[in-house]
Amino acid sequence: MADLYARESRSVSKMAHLRFFPQAVVGGSGAYLTGDDGRRLLDFSASWGAASLGHAHNAVRDAVNRALRDQAGASYLSSANEPCVLLAEKLLSLVPERARGRVWFGHSGSDANETVARVVVAATGRPRLLAFEGAYHGGTVGSMAVSGHPAQQGARAAGLTLVPYPNSYAAGGPEAAKAAALAHIEQLFATVLPPEEVAAFFIEPIQSDGGMLVPPDGFFQAVEAICRKHGILVVSDEVKVGLGRTGRFNAFEHSGIEPDIVVYGKGLGGGLPISAAVGPEAIMNHAVAFSLQTVHGNPVCAAAALAVLETIEHDHLAENAASTGQALREALQGVAARHALIGDVRGRGLALGVELVVDRATREPAARQTALAVLRAFQLGLVVYYVGVNSNVLEFTPPLTLTKSQALEGAALLDEALADVAA
């Protein structure tokens, strides 16, 4: 079946492609994928974090089998179903008190963020929104409209204002990055952006697609204080970096804040399509039939998601992400010591980024070398993709079940790939 990639090109649309090398897989188990050529590939992306428990995890498989043996319909549009209710009750127990109202279910982080962007404006009567430059909140028309990533091909919302995300590496340190970003927000509010017109601020506890940027200590506490002062809702996009990935269940917990609305997706379903927006009853119950699709609230996907949450707790996967992530980060720092291409290693838990630069002094992005690095890594047996507004940051979002030996194996493969690129 080694011609699978070629066969796909003759049958499947490219409009949903985001390809880095000719990868074609026929199966997978745990942290490994099986290529159509029979190769075993160590997966350090987990499909952009969606396969949160790894591939073919017993808990997800068993939950899906149970849900399908006695299927409670296919939707929650016109009927309550038990898996949805159980999942909603579980999610409500995992968010701050101020967000503990109601849960909306969708298919992906994209539709969840779009729904939140629409409902906060409708429910508050405030027409404006804030988000960060470099932010990726989804690929639908409505979620692209509140995003700030330059690679996206959608139009921005008329009421959207983008502000800089603090980049400690580019700014020369966290304090400088924090001060500049906060000053920009305060200047906007003092001049061209009336804060009383802003419904919500969409934040990313770590800006993943923008370059795996970690906010400076105290930054989001200051942002939260500004939002509380002006009655602006704080929306935390946990789609890629939440659900235990950073070493805590919610990534915003590292910043010591309590968002009003929390958005989950990707890893929530353990590889199945489901998303959730959790927030105050007054917002989330603004209107019936406000945002719906036929198989929203699918009970099979909801059952899988509940199994994911229970497994994260039962198997202490947030703790594993912290300890294994620390081992991986230290290994990557060792790789950085041997390769001038690496300018910075950053992240939390199993959400890590490695920025490649042409020159460490100028920090000039090494976009071509980054593309070559992920290709060579794939040839050697490691799946890793790149992100960042300059396409020069290797992103590591492996399964939460990753072991320390697998972390070291992946770092060694990257070490070899970078040596080959340099040569």
Side-chain angles (χ1 to χ4, degrees), residues 51 106 213 345 362 396:
L213 302 177
V345 177
T362 65
F396 299 85

Side-chain angles (χ1 to χ4, degrees), residues 204-276:
E204 297 166 291
I206 293 177
Q207 188 174 82
S208 51
D209 291 272
M212 204 53 84
L213 302 177
V214 178
D217 291 344
F219 173 72
F220 276 125
Q221 287 181 321
V223 168
E224 182 184 36
I226 293 170
C227 289
R228 299 288 172 244
K229 176 182 176 181
H230 298 291
I232 298 169
L233 297 169
V234 177
V235 180
S236 184
D237 183 342
E238 300 273 324
V239 172
K240 188 187 285 189
V241 297
L243 302 173
R245 178 160 296 285
T246 63
R248 299 188 184 182
F249 183 80
N250 295 297
F252 65 75
E253 294 172 25
H254 293 277
S255 295
I257 63 171
E258 293 192 356
D260 301 278
I261 299 172
V262 185
V263 180
Y264 300 108
K266 291 192 189 300
L268 179 61
L272 274 71
I274 186 168
S275 61

Side-chain angles (χ1 to χ4, degrees), residues 341-362:
L341 267 174
I342 296 180
D344 192 34
V345 177
R346 54 181 177 255
R348 286 183 170 133
L350 289 174
L352 297 171
V354 173
E355 182 161 352
L356 302 188
V357 294
V358 174
D359 182 274
R360 286 180 174 175
T362 65

Side-chain angles (χ1 to χ4, degrees), residues 14 19 26 39-40 61 93 118 132 136 177 207-208 218 220 272 300 302 308 339 362 413:
K14 294 183 178 180
R19 299 292 171 85
V26 296
R39 289 198 307 144
R40 197 166 180 241
R61 184 171 62 246
S93 74
R118 290 177 53 221
F132 286 106
Y136 179 90
Q207 188 174 82
S208 51
F220 276 125
L272 274 71
V300 179
V308 167
H339 297 281
T362 65
L413 290 171

Side-chain angles (χ1 to χ4, degrees), residues 74-78 107 292-298:
S75 170
Y76 80 152
L77 267 65
S78 300
H107 298 316
L292 55 86
Q293 294 181 41
T294 304
V295 289
H296 274 174
N298 181 277

Side-chain angles (χ1 to χ4, degrees), residues 53-80:
L53 303 186
H55 306 286
H57 194 282
N58 287 338
V60 175
R61 184 171 62 246
D62 292 347
V64 168
N65 286 339
R66 286 194 301 271
L68 283 172
R69 275 199 300 267
D70 191 15
Q71 189 174 341
S75 170
Y76 80 152
L77 267 65
S78 300
S79 172

Side-chain angles (χ1 to χ4, degrees), residues 37-356:
D37 55 0
R39 289 198 307 144
R40 197 166 180 241
L41 304 166
L42 181 56
D43 186 6
F44 267 24
S45 170
S47 296
W48 299 100
S52 52
L53 303 186
H55 306 286
H57 194 282
N58 287 338
V60 175
R61 184 171 62 246
D62 292 347
V64 168
N65 286 339
R66 286 194 301 271
L68 283 172
R69 275 199 300 267
D70 191 15
Q71 189 174 341
S75 170
Y76 80 152
L77 267 65
S78 300
S79 172
N81 71 68
E82 186 179 38
C84 253
V85 173
L86 292 172
L87 178 58
E89 291 171 345
K90 183 65 174 177
L91 286 170
L92 288 169
S93 74
L94 295 169
V95 298
E97 182 65 34
R98 66 187 313 119
R100 207 166 289 171
R102 299 292 186 274
V103 183
W104 174 96
F105 290 114
H107 298 316
S108 70
S110 297
D111 65 358
N113 278 316
E114 173 170 336
T115 293
V116 172
R118 290 177 53 221
V119 77
V120 293
V121 170
T124 65
R126 296 182 171 197
R128 296 176 181 267
L129 296 167
L130 278 170
F132 286 106
E133 295 171 1
Y136 179 90
H137 293 299
T140 62
V141 170
S143 57
M144 284 191 289
V146 294
S147 297
H149 200 288
Q152 292 181 298
Q153 300 178 39
R156 307 288 182 236
L160 178 69
T161 298
L162 296 173
V163 299
Y165 197 100
N167 185 333
S168 298
Y169 178 61
E175 288 305 312
K178 178 172 70 173
L182 291 174
H184 187 95
I185 295 169
E186 294 284 16
Q187 178 66 14
L188 281 173
F189 283 171
T191 54
V192 297
L193 181 62
E196 66 275 9
E197 294 183 8
V198 178
F201 196 157
F202 279 73
I203 72 166
E204 297 166 291
I206 293 177
Q207 188 174 82
S208 51
D209 291 272
M212 204 53 84
L213 302 177
V214 178
D217 291 344
F219 173 72
F220 276 125
Q221 287 181 321
V223 168
E224 182 184 36
I226 293 170
C227 289
R228 299 288 172 244
K229 176 182 176 181
H230 298 291
I232 298 169
L233 297 169
V234 177
V235 180
S236 184
D237 183 342
E238 300 273 324
V239 172
K240 188 187 285 189
V241 297
L243 302 173
R245 178 160 296 285
T246 63
R248 299 188 184 182
F249 183 80
N250 295 297
F252 65 75
E253 294 172 25
H254 293 277
S255 295
I257 63 171
E258 293 192 356
D260 301 278
I261 299 172
V262 185
V263 180
Y264 300 108
K266 291 192 189 300
L268 179 61
L272 274 71
I274 186 168
S275 61
V278 189
E281 190 273 339
I283 301 293
M284 305 309 293
N285 273 353
H286 170 66
V288 299
F290 182 84
S291 178
L292 55 86
Q293 294 181 41
T294 304
V295 289
H296 274 174
N298 181 277
V300 179
C301 294
L306 184 59
V308 167
L309 298 180
E310 291 173 344
T311 301
I312 290 172
E313 287 187 338
H314 181 269
D315 292 355
H316 306 289
L317 293 185
E319 292 86 345
N320 184 68
S323 60
T324 303
Q326 180 63 28
L328 177 56
R329 182 169 181 167
E330 290 173 358
L332 292 173
Q333 288 169 334
V335 175
R338 293 187 290 277
H339 297 281
L341 267 174
I342 296 180
D344 192 34
V345 177
R346 54 181 177 255
R348 286 183 170 133
L350 289 174
L352 297 171
V354 173
E355 182 161 352
L356 302 188

